[in-house]
Amino acid sequence: MDRLLWMHCYARAVETGSFSAVARELSIGQPNVSRHIASLESHLGTRLLHRSTRKLTVTPEGERYYAEVRRALDAIAEAESNARGEDQPQGLLRVACPVALARFKLMPLVKQFLVAYPAIELDLHVADRKVDLIEEGVDVAIRVGELRDSSLRARRLGTARRICVASSTYLSRRGVPQSPEELRDHNCIRYSLLATGTIWPFERQPVEVRGNFRVDSPEAVLAAVLDGIGIGLMPSWLFADSLAAGTVRQLLDNWEIPSLPVNALYPAKRLMPRRAAAFMDFVADAFAVDEALQ
């Protein structure tokens, strides 16, 4: 009874979504993969996967078990690597990142990272929701904003400087606000995931804004600003190209808005894989020379 093999088959089935892919990877044949996972389920006395002809679906029990199995397999791989004296980080690295930050700042680094660390398999989850690192088996989550979860540790990667912008077409139609207070008379695009809600947090004069468009995506805020719908408040790097092209204009630049930290988060009570540390070092070094993240 090789439970370690069962666990490995199960973890890779969850990660690839396919028994066939696991069979090719381990060179053991698809019927053997199915049999190993069935043996694991029988040993545990619970269903881990729902199987159909088209896809695998992980059960809630399977999700929790996967997170534990992944940690165990990572610890074993790390121990074996250390015993062999291997210096290169390797293995599966699961990273979560917000959509806009991934598109504008992280994706341009992915090729360089994979070239530098060819033995790492990067599994990037791009979503604006806050993933549960423990439950979902994520090694590193990059987030913009203050850390509120005491079960996580944070490493500062950079800073998101926020600015207020609008398109020339909107400003020609509605005028240019001269103070935060005047934003009350403008159509402001409300980002529904903003920690301060409808309050735009200018340091000297926070103001509650109004508008007829609310959205939970920074990229949608950018699109709405470019379309002349209203005024937006977002990190400066989101508008860098539009500012350079002159299609949008920065407003109220004499009124400071608190910047937000950009952190790499990882579980406090889990062994940090070498590949996760390598990833954070790589991104921190790249962000340190990016003026938009200072």
Side-chain angles (χ1 to χ4, degrees):
M1 182 172 68
D2 190 346
R3 269 188 278 169
L4 187 60
L5 176 58
W6 298 352
M7 293 162 66
H8 186 72
C9 286
Y10 172 67
R12 291 304 288 154
V14 172
E15 290 159 1
T16 62
S18 165
F19 283 5
S20 298
V22 179
R24 288 192 297 270
E25 182 179 301
L26 301 181
S27 301
I28 60 174
Q30 183 175 333
N32 286 325
V33 173
S34 181
R35 186 163 53 249
H36 291 330
I37 293 177
S39 296
L40 180 61
E41 291 177 321
S42 178
H43 172 73
L44 296 172
T46 189
R47 174 73 71 181
L48 300 174
L49 295 170
H50 292 302
R51 305 156 178 81
S52 72
T53 56
R54 302 185 64 180
K55 67 176 183 177
L56 301 176
T57 304
V58 185
T59 67
E61 294 79 12
E63 285 280 6
R64 291 191 293 270
Y65 184 68
Y66 166 76
E68 297 296 332
V69 164
R70 174 43 60 196
R71 283 197 288 275
L73 294 175
D74 285 345
I76 292 170
E78 190 82 5
E80 291 178 343
S81 178
N82 291 337
R84 287 192 291 263
E86 296 174 344
D87 294 327
Q88 275 292 319
Q90 57 185 297
L92 177 67
L93 175 65
R94 304 186 80 202
V95 175
C97 186
V99 177
L101 186 63
R103 177 188 171 190
F104 289 96
K105 294 300 176 183
L106 189 59
M107 279 306 301
L109 304 176
V110 167
K111 181 179 179 180
Q112 301 170 47
F113 177 75
L114 294 177
V115 169
Y117 298 99
I120 291 179
E121 178 188 349
L122 179 61
D123 182 6
L124 180 61
H125 296 252
V126 178
D128 287 328
R129 71 179 181 89
K130 289 187 177 180
V131 302
D132 186 316
L133 277 71
I134 304 297
E135 287 290 330
E136 300 181 48
V138 172
D139 298 295
V140 179
I142 301 178
R143 290 183 187 162
V144 180
E146 299 295 337
L147 175 63
R148 292 182 173 85
D149 189 339
S150 61
S151 70
L152 302 176
R153 289 180 180 166
R155 175 173 176 181
R156 179 68 67 90
L157 300 177
T159 299
R161 184 174 65 88
R162 293 182 288 181
I163 60 174
C164 199
V165 299
S167 69
S168 300
T169 54
Y170 174 85
L171 295 174
S172 63
R173 187 172 72 249
R174 297 289 300 271
V176 180
Q178 301 300 315
S179 72
E181 182 66 25
E182 292 185 21
L183 290 174
R184 297 180 188 277
D185 299 323
H186 283 267
N187 198 43
C188 294
I189 301 161
R190 294 173 294 160
Y191 177 53
S192 57
L193 300 182
L194 184 67
T196 53
T198 58
I199 304 294
W200 283 9
F202 293 90
E203 287 187 348
R204 288 179 288 150
Q205 192 176 347
V207 61
E208 184 169 10
V209 299
R210 295 183 290 271
N212 63 1
F213 181 55
R214 178 176 60 194
V215 67
D216 62 357
S217 162
E219 289 189 277
V221 173
L222 169 62
V225 168
L226 293 176
D227 282 344
I229 292 174
I231 297 173
L233 173 71
M234 277 285 147
S236 61
W237 45 261
L238 188 69
F239 297 103
D241 292 341
S242 303
L243 287 167
T247 52
V248 302
R249 173 179 166 185
Q250 183 175 348
L251 308 174
L252 306 174
D253 49 343
N254 291 326
W255 298 79
E256 289 294 325
I257 305 169
S259 297
L260 296 174
V262 179
N263 290 316
L265 308 182
Y266 55 96
K269 296 181 180 180
R270 187 195 299 177
L271 172 70
M272 180 188 292
R274 188 180 302 174
R275 57 188 172 271
F279 175 80
M280 287 191 285
D281 287 344
F282 186 92
V283 175
D285 289 344
F287 282 10
V289 296
D290 187 331
E291 292 184 359
L293 291 166
Q294 304 305 306

